Amino acid sequence: MKKILLTISTLAIMASCNQKPAESAPAIDRANFDESVALNEDFYQYATGGWQKANPMKPEFSRYGVFDILRENNEIRLNDLFASMTKTKAEKGTVEQKISDLYTMGLDSVRLNNEGIAPVKSDVEQIMALSNPMELAIATARIHTAAGSPLFNVYVSADLLDSNINTLYIDQAGLGMGNRDYYLDAENEAKRKGYTEWLTKAFTMLGWGDAAAKAEKVLAFETKMAEAFRSNVELRDVAANYNPMSKADFEKRYAAFAWATYFSEMGIGDFKQIIVGQPEVLDAVLKLYAQEDINTVKAYMAAGVMSRAAGYVGDELYAAHFDFFGRQMSGQQEMRPRWKRAMAVPNSVLGEAVGEMYVKKYFPESDKQRMTEMVKNLQVALGQHIDALEWMSDATKAKAHEKLNTFTVKIGYPDKWKDYSSLAIDPSLSYWENIKRANAWYTADNLADLGKEVDRTEWFMSPQTVNAYYNPTTNEICFPAAILQPPFYNSAADDAVNYGAIGVVIGHEMTHGFDDQGRQFDKDGNMNNWWTDEDAKAFKERTDVLVEQFNKIEVLPAKGDQPAIMADGELSLGENIADQGGLRVSYTALHNSFEGKGEPEPVDGFTADQRFYLSYATIWGQNIRDEEAARLTKTDVHSLGKNRVNATLRNIDTFYKAFGITDGQMFMPAEERVIIW
């Protein structure tokens, strides 16, 4: 299921398991600094360089940061929880049984390696036995249900023009390397070679004598698909990717595919309308599908299933998959240990069941109350920023206030937990078969919503996730329970530190409601232009400046025949707007809290304003491999951590004042700075 979720971080990172209580964590730790670097030259390095040195990259990581430490700590906590469940036999059908059995199957290396690729090989054999387009449509549906997204992706979500009703969507999908640029750009030739080598290894394990030839044909097939695909930047254009068609018109336009058979096999009932994300892409892909040799199409489908199954069968396939997707694409040096991979599966498959356990044990109601109060404070501050905008008309400001005042705020955990009683986990079946069952359960759960009223109580992150999101179709901001912990929230720290971290997170998600995508939705969650033309133009003029600022940032220098990699200001625009808005709004909320009390005295030699900005930098401390920096720059809507700090702060006047910055690399002349919200 695809949702327009706008988040604080690039990963949904699981909750922390600090062995010490939160109160023991330092509010501002000077050991994290690199005071050999002038803060007016590189504030990110000044504030986090010590942390980077003390936390070198681990071989299993492509990026290692504050978020990853939280994730690692939480993995220990959840692993202990799951391991304890295996010591007693749970009643069949309970979530304890399902968690325990999934976890145990993931750990059972002996069984997995004895089975080898047999569980997925049977799927591939069924694919390779297909002989006509009707059978291919059935196979596509079965794979979509449980094992991947070849050719396209179908799902149910809120109608962007009528956010109360769930409707059917179809989007571009099906590239093995994910991003079209890997197939098209000259500098990615090594990745294409590595991808072909991975496919050759996978096909050889299937016993195919022509494995290398089939791998080349799959790459050529996917390259033709990629040539038609929209770029990641184009996919951010919400209106351009909303193209409703009647069922009859859809089936007439895309007649090369057996849709009646496909919809029946998927369990999709009758419907009147389908939203086509990229009509011209589907034209090209289905034309290619119809004209290509059927044996190449089958090999393409088999490749996707093998890739999807790699983590749930014997080690040989997983090792080959890791060599390309982990080592070459991201720079990881070692696989994650088996216990981490094993515990991640029930945590994902039964996320809310695990979340319910987490909340009972680790989330006090007082934390929810603290978060509720901070959210209210940030809403007031954002309202003040709306009022202060010189470039926005009163009419649009009034609409902006309406939207802000109707935010749905979700904190901690859902009011209604997901019911997993119909999801069967059977340890007599293979690990991969159980994963397919779980995938099929989630697919059916999503498709069952077609034509129904949107459930606005539904959550799209589990409570044990250290992240947050804004969803425009429900106009909601959501802060899972696990976000309230150091360094995001520290009950022993002063307000400046907390507003610099969790306050900015809150402000970030609120600002998403008014970024270049979120602003296209009204207070009810409908895609609706509530801006005057003049205000929209003024907004675009300012966001264009922000785009150009980030476009000028060199992520990696030129190396040999490889050109320099530059940041993508268009791709990351929404997150960059939200970072800036979160900082500015939270700063205002902090100073609102001083009213009637006066600004506090410096702590550890730093003023409240300085502590605010140091706290913000702290949450983005990380080390990252060049391969991962390059990959994320192409695929992730979030800027890299260093740029979220340095590039964003260079636009904020109060940052300069806090540290007395008048020159250096951090300094930007006032006339070049841009403020959005």
Side-chain angles (χ1 to χ4, degrees):
M1 179 182 63
K2 183 175 180 180
K3 295 289 294 182
I4 305 175
L5 294 183
L6 307 166
T7 65
I8 181 67
S9 87
T10 185
L11 297 173
I13 299 170
M14 299 299 115
S16 168
C17 166
N18 293 322
Q19 299 303 313
K20 298 179 181 179
E23 288 76 10
S24 68
I28 295 291
D29 189 349
R30 274 199 114 104
N32 289 334
F33 297 178
D34 179 358
E35 296 184 81
S36 70
V37 175
L39 61 84
N40 66 326
E41 293 295 335
D42 186 343
F43 186 72
Y44 176 77
Q45 184 64 26
Y46 170 83
T48 70
W51 184 94
Q52 293 172 48
K53 185 176 181 180
N55 295 274
M57 186 80 69
K58 295 186 178 183
E60 69 183 81
F61 287 90
S62 56
R63 176 183 55 188
Y64 191 67
V66 170
F67 282 80
D68 300 290
I69 288 181
L70 298 183
R71 181 183 183 185
E72 279 200 297
N73 289 337
N74 185 63
E75 285 173 334
I76 296 171
R77 173 178 280 176
L78 294 180
N79 192 65
D80 289 346
L81 175 66
F82 298 162
S84 67
M85 291 182 185
T86 65
K87 295 177 181 177
T88 57
K89 188 172 181 61
E91 182 180 349
K92 185 177 180 180
T94 62
V95 292
E96 289 81 5
Q97 174 260 313
K98 296 168 186 179
I99 290 171
S100 177
D101 283 342
L102 274 175
Y103 173 72
T104 301
M105 283 187 280
L107 286 176
D108 194 347
S109 59
V110 173
R111 177 185 175 183
L112 287 169
N113 285 319
N114 282 339
E115 291 175 343
I117 65 164
V120 68
K121 188 174 183 179
S122 63
D123 292 326
V124 171
E125 288 171 348
Q126 291 177 32
I127 293 170
M128 300 312 290
L130 303 175
S131 60
N132 59 63
M134 188 72 71
E135 291 178 346
L136 277 176
I138 293 173
T140 302
R142 290 177 179 172
I143 297 170
H144 280 181
T145 297
S149 299
L151 301 175
F152 50 82
N153 183 35
V154 171
Y155 60 97
V156 169
S157 190
D159 190 327
L160 299 189
L161 290 184
D162 183 2
S163 61
N164 287 318
I165 297 297
N166 282 304
T167 193
L168 195 63
Y169 286 81
I170 184 167
D171 283 341
Q172 69 179 42
L175 296 180
M177 287 191 282
N179 189 325
R180 71 167 196 173
D181 294 348
Y182 292 135
Y183 297 85
L184 307 179
D185 292 351
E187 64 263 26
N188 289 317
E189 180 59 36
K191 290 182 173 62
R192 291 190 284 275
K193 183 175 183 293
Y195 182 57
T196 307
E197 290 171 352
W198 141 249
L199 292 175
T200 301
K201 291 176 184 177
F203 292 163
T204 299
M205 290 179 207
L206 291 168
W208 295 358
D210 56 350
K214 275 193 166 63
E216 291 289 351
K217 288 181 179 180
V218 170
L219 176 65
F221 182 82
E222 291 186 16
T223 300
K224 292 174 185 175
M225 288 177 62
E227 288 168 351
F229 270 38
R230 292 185 185 177
S231 69
N232 284 342
V233 170
E234 291 171 323
L235 293 175
R236 293 196 69 254
D237 187 334
V238 179
N241 290 280
Y242 180 88
N243 303 282
M245 294 184 190
S246 69
K247 182 180 180 182
D249 287 346
F250 174 82
E251 292 183 338
K252 181 179 180 181
R253 176 167 176 171
Y254 303 110
F257 195 79
W259 291 109
T261 300
Y262 173 83
F263 291 137
S264 175
E265 189 68 28
M266 287 285 286
I268 297 173
D270 195 26
F271 59 91
K272 296 180 180 179
Q273 174 184 270
I274 183 169
I275 312 300
V276 184
Q278 305 77 33
E280 80 289 354
V281 175
L282 194 58
D283 281 329
V285 167
L286 292 182
K287 181 179 179 181
L288 176 65
Y289 156 84
Q291 295 178 349
E292 187 65 64
D293 178 73
I294 192 172
N295 291 314
T296 297
V297 177
K298 291 189 293 185
Y300 157 74
M301 289 184 170
V305 173
M306 290 288 279
S307 186
R308 189 69 174 263
Y312 311 103
V313 293
D315 289 344
E316 185 181 11
L317 183 64
Y318 182 70
H321 186 270
F322 174 82
D323 277 344
F324 175 66
F325 289 99
R327 200 182 309 276
Q328 184 173 351
M329 293 288 278
S330 297
Q332 291 172 262
Q333 296 176 359
E334 293 180 1
M335 301 178 208
R336 299 181 72 219
R338 187 178 299 278
W339 71 266
K340 288 188 177 183
R341 288 182 271 144
M343 57 73 51
V345 172
N347 189 41
S348 174
V349 171
L350 296 147
E352 284 196 17
V354 176
E356 189 172 5
M357 299 172 188
Y358 172 86
V359 166
K360 287 178 181 177
K361 190 170 184 179
Y362 302 115
F363 187 63
E365 192 64 25
S366 58
D367 283 356
K368 186 169 185 174
Q369 293 168 1
R370 291 189 194 109
M371 192 66 151
T372 300
E373 188 62 33
M374 289 193 77
V375 170
K376 290 178 181 176
N377 294 345
L378 269 292
Q379 280 182 289
V380 170
L382 180 50
Q384 291 173 296
H385 280 249
I386 292 169
D387 288 336
L389 292 175
E390 296 179 356
W391 53 269
M392 180 176 278
S393 68
D394 290 342
T396 304
K397 285 181 181 179
K399 294 288 187 181
H401 275 291
E402 284 183 5
K403 183 170 186 178
L404 175 63
N405 293 334
T406 53
F407 273 170
T408 295
V409 181
K410 295 179 177 179
I411 297 173
Y413 49 88
D415 294 326
K416 178 179 65 177
W417 296 101
K418 187 175 287 292
D419 179 7
Y420 295 101
S421 58
S422 60
L423 170 58
I425 300 299
D426 184 353
S428 69
L429 301 175
S430 71
Y431 194 27
W432 170 234
E433 193 64 37
N434 277 284
I435 295 301
K436 288 195 298 179
R437 277 191 172 197
N439 290 337
W441 186 88
Y442 274 99
T443 300
D445 185 60
N446 173 244
L447 295 178
D449 288 336
L450 179 59
K452 294 181 180 178
E453 186 174 342
V454 170
D455 180 3
R456 293 176 179 263
T457 68
E458 185 178 9
W459 278 49
F460 301 103
M461 283 181 181
S462 63
Q464 67 274 25
T465 304
V466 180
N467 209 334
Y469 68 81
Y470 171 76
N471 183 20
T473 60
T474 52
N475 195 29
E476 72 179 49
I477 48 178
C478 179
F479 306 98
I483 198 76
L484 278 178
Q485 58 179 317
F488 296 99
Y489 183 83
N490 186 340
S491 60
D494 50 301
D495 284 345
V497 168
N498 284 318
Y499 274 94
I502 192 65
V504 175
V505 171
I506 297 168
H508 176 105
E509 300 309 333
M510 288 183 179
T511 305
H512 269 314
F514 305 94
D515 70 13
D516 64 311
Q517 289 184 312
R519 78 171 192 84
Q520 299 179 54
F521 295 81
D522 63 21
K523 66 181 179 64
D524 299 315
N526 296 317
M527 188 166 61
N528 176 27
N529 184 15
W530 48 273
W531 294 58
T532 67
D533 291 343
E534 293 78 9
D535 291 337
K537 180 181 178 182
F539 179 85
K540 181 71 163 51
E541 288 172 351
R542 285 155 178 78
T543 59
D544 283 349
V545 174
L546 198 61
V547 168
E548 285 308 306
Q549 286 182 6
F550 277 83
N551 281 345
K552 293 176 182 177
I553 297 172
E554 185 179 80
V555 173
L556 292 171
K559 186 177 181 181
D561 59 353
Q562 298 293 307
I565 294 177
M566 309 300 288
D568 191 333
E570 285 281 0
L571 180 61
S572 59
L573 177 59
E575 296 299 330
N576 296 336
I577 293 171
D579 280 344
Q580 185 194 98
L583 274 161
R584 282 175 42 78
V585 170
S586 188
Y587 179 89
T588 296
L590 171 65
H591 278 261
N592 287 346
S593 74
F594 296 157
E595 291 180 6
K597 298 182 292 185
E599 187 165 331
E601 292 296 316
V603 179
D604 298 329
F606 295 107
T607 66
D609 283 11
Q610 291 171 337
R611 292 170 71 77
F612 173 89
Y613 288 114
L614 287 166
S615 179
Y616 174 70
T618 296
I619 65 175
W620 298 114
Q622 63 179 216
N623 290 298
I624 186 167
R625 300 190 195 280
D626 287 353
E627 296 91 340
E628 183 70 349
R631 186 186 72 83
L632 291 176
T633 299
K634 282 185 173 292
T635 62
D636 188 18
V637 295
H638 302 82
S639 294
L640 298 179
K642 179 177 181 178
N643 298 330
R644 297 185 79 161
V645 176
N646 285 356
T648 301
L649 292 179
R650 294 178 77 225
N651 283 299
I652 298 179
D653 294 346
T654 54
F655 166 70
Y656 292 105
K657 294 175 183 176
F659 294 95
I661 295 174
T662 58
D663 59 10
Q665 292 297 314
M666 290 299 303
F667 182 78
M668 180 188 291
E671 63 272 16
E672 296 178 17
R673 301 172 200 168
V674 63
I675 295 299
I676 313 298
W677 291 101

